[in-house]
Amino acid sequence: MTAKITYLFFIYFIPLFCWSQDAQLDSMKKLVASGKEDSFKVNTLLSISKRFFSSAPNESIKYATQARNLSEKIDFKPGLAYAFKNIGIANYMQSNYPLSLENYNQSLAVFDSLGDKKGSSNILSNIGSVYFDISDDNKALDYYLRSLKLSEEIGDKLRTATALLNIGSVYSNKAVIIPTNENIDKAVKYYLMALPLAEEIKDDYLIGTSTANLGEMYMLKAKSSIDSASALDSALINFRKSRKAYEGSDSYPYALMNLGKLYAKKNEYELALQYLHDAYNSAKTLDARLDMTKSLKELGDTYYQQGDKKNALQFYTDAESLGVDIGAKSLIKDVYVGLAKTYADQKDFVNAYRYEQLLSSIKDSLYSNGSDKKLDKLQFEFDIEKKQGEINLLTKDKALQEVNIKRQKLTRNALIGGLTLAMIIAVIIYRNYRNKLKTNKILDEQKTEIETLLLNILPADVAQELQKHGVATARYYERASVLFTDIKSFSKLADELSPQEVVTELNECFVAFDDIIEKYNLEKIKTIGDSYMCAGGIPRIDDSHIINIIKASLEIQEFIKDRNEKRVSENLPPWDIRIGVNTGPLVAGVVGKKKYAYDIWGGTVNVASRMESNGEAGRVNISEATYELIKHQYACTHRGKIFAKNIGEIDMYFVDKELN
């Protein structure tokens, strides 16, 4: 795991054209050589420049510089903005952050002058990526948030999702440095916000990036989680989704690398090495030399972890050679770490010392004070240019103010004459003000009552979102637990009681159920007749929801058992209930327009209902998915299988008791 989540980089750069074949590239170069100086030639130069981003950054800079010079000559500002952007990207690829930032700032200035919010949003993300890579998370977050604001203003879902991913990457970076659940959960939150947008616009690249990021976070969570196997399984699910989304794209090698790293984490070295070799071959086919270098470095790490120092040294050396060739300083730094420790393990202290010195030297070049000062100077100069524009506006305002002062002198005498009238008006206004205060106090009290009522209907997070934005976004949850209860032979029992008695009896049960699920941090969804439904792990993600919902189920059965003993002693019929539980993915959100309701949907909910309807009174019936997650803590009895529509056969289990 590395703090630099560089796979987010490519999503920033949406190409003007898609050129993939060498024949097309040759045709474009011939067009450039034709001498025709117009905007189409600029766009062609930019497309050629994009072609060399990862394979030959210096070539990319050469063509982007030609596009910049031609754009200035023909006064083609959109071309000028994209030319500065491409030069910035190519320098970024070589870890030349000062030049990258300088060109990004010039690109941003042109986009701003054009009023092109989409372009500005894109460049703000790029600037954020520079600060992210030099570990200035505060500045990175500031630029990402500015990018998010612009993209939301113009309703650009692509860049909104990109900005959300970038913000998540900052928290991912923090999580790598300080792997707390809070940092990990914040990163996961933003990735989960980006994923539905990516799926809505059917952008495979964004889907692949979102799921790759989620996989990274779940893999990190496995280090500190009690249920590390479950966290690794979640990472595997997301990495597989990422591989499917990235298939056929330039990012496919990265997806394969993630799977390789995960299997190495699980000590399944044969699979790990297979995926990493596939990643290298795929990158080689694409001539993606940066990904080739990364694959070689990961192969070196895996062989080292396996104890095969000979192969580790070979792949580290290959990674060094290619990394130096393309100028990927950040990656070379990690390779030097691997070479130094491998030589040290082999007692070759001469080479170990040499690579320690090289490591120290490259760290100085990446993080030297001179570089930091140059970055600050560039940003300062850019800010000064913007301030100068503000000063020019203030100068114009000053001239207008002088004219206004003259007008004010002419009206001053008239104002003095109307002072008495103004005082009378002031008294009237004061009286109206006091009346408004009384009215506002009443409105505030009503507002408090409405908010309290809303919190009784909806979860707090959802209620706040609804009040703030007027709508509440439906959200997808990777894993949640659902509980259903149903009273056995309720219709027969209800026929023997008056309507008032039925309501009283149900209320007594449901109030007790409410107290129990609140105790275990579960969320009540709704009641339908004699059925009661709740869920765990929503709307806030909680890793303990699976155990909590089982504890709540057993406590509900215990409450009904105690209650029935009292009823039998009073010669009243018992009220037995069935309980069913299932665990899996679902969607949760607010439905309705006039009467809000927080509800959940998906196959997980349907299976939970089937668990209840196929259960027995006095027992907690769970699905195979839930059983696999609690079997280490609860003794269970296998009941057989049932058939579920669109799912197939599902094993059922009764929960017997908690294991010591």
Side-chain angles (χ1 to χ4, degrees), residues 438-454 467:
K438 293 178 181 178
T439 303
N440 288 339
K441 184 178 179 181
I442 294 170
L443 291 174
D444 287 341
E445 291 173 352
Q446 291 177 343
K447 181 174 178 289
T448 301
E449 291 175 1
I450 292 169
E451 288 176 348
T452 302
L453 181 60
L454 196 58
Q467 287 179 288

Side-chain angles (χ1 to χ4, degrees), residues 579-590:
I579 295 180
V581 176
N582 183 36
T583 304
L586 55 76
V587 175
V590 175

Side-chain angles (χ1 to χ4, degrees), residues 86-188:
N86 282 15
I87 296 171
I89 293 171
N91 278 289
Y92 179 95
M93 296 293 288
Q94 300 179 90
S95 301
N96 192 339
Y97 299 127
L99 277 178
S100 177
L101 185 59
E102 180 179 3
N103 282 279
Y104 283 157
N105 279 329
Q106 293 187 71
S107 177
L108 179 62
V110 179
F111 278 127
D112 285 346
S113 71
L114 292 170
D116 186 345
K117 291 186 177 181
K118 182 181 291 188
S120 296
S121 173
N122 189 194
I123 294 299
L124 287 168
S125 281
N126 293 12
I127 295 174
S129 72
V130 173
Y131 286 114
F132 177 84
D133 271 24
I134 62 173
S135 301
D136 192 339
D137 288 342
N138 290 332
K139 279 189 177 180
L141 187 60
D142 175 53
Y143 279 99
Y144 290 155
L145 289 169
R146 287 167 62 185
S147 175
L148 177 63
K149 182 180 178 182
L150 280 181
S151 62
E152 288 181 335
E153 282 180 7
I154 60 178
D156 189 329
K157 292 181 180 178
L158 171 66
R159 283 178 175 77
T160 299
T162 303
L164 290 169
L165 284 171
N166 292 341
I167 295 168
S169 74
V170 174
Y171 289 111
S172 292
N173 195 30
K174 291 179 182 292
V176 171
I177 299 168
I178 307 174
T180 62
N181 282 337
E182 180 182 1
N183 286 333
I184 293 172
D185 290 345
K186 282 184 178 179
V188 169

Side-chain angles (χ1 to χ4, degrees), residues 631-645:
K631 63 183 180 182
H632 63 286
Q633 195 164 337
Y634 285 90
C636 301
T637 301
H638 183 250
R639 300 191 55 221
K641 301 177 181 289
I642 62 167
F643 181 81
K645 186 178 180 182

